[in-house]
Amino acid sequence: VFGTLCGKIGLVNYARAGPATEWIFQSTTKTAITCIDFYDLTDTGVNHLIIGADDGFIEIFEIIEDNDSILPPKLIYSQVQA
């Protein structure tokens, strides 16, 4: 998982055939993604993707797995720091 200076979030899968981009999407913020973490916030055994941006914006995403593919995460919470 990676974040960019312009607020994009993406996932690259590294396999024997070489790296392949699974998904990339624009976060709600347009500023740099400065921190990324995974944590099970709901104590269900499934980690959530937590994103922090340079402007104080925080987003939490649900990771969705569909058989063998990894779909882009679903936004479940966002907050702008005052």
Side-chain angles (χ1 to χ4, degrees):
V1 175
F2 64 90
T4 67
L5 289 174
C6 61
K8 291 186 179 179
I9 304 162
L11 175 69
V12 175
N13 184 11
Y14 290 92
R16 287 189 175 178
T21 302
E22 295 289 332
W23 45 260
I24 297 177
F25 65 93
Q26 179 66 50
S27 173
T28 306
T29 184
K30 303 280 192 232
T31 63
I33 303 300
T34 55
C35 60
I36 299 173
D37 201 358
F38 291 92
Y39 189 78
D40 181 5
L41 296 169
T42 56
D43 200 25
T44 59
V46 178
N47 283 332
H48 293 86
L49 173 62
I50 305 165
I51 303 293
D54 193 40
D55 61 358
F57 203 82
I58 298 170
E59 293 181 315
I60 301 173
F61 296 88
E62 180 180 8
I63 304 298
I64 301 168
E65 294 185 34
D66 181 32
N67 296 331
D68 293 331
S69 63
I70 301 174
L71 303 174
K74 175 185 171 188
L75 180 65
I76 60 172
Y77 178 81
S78 65
Q79 178 181 4
V80 177
Q81 184 170 329

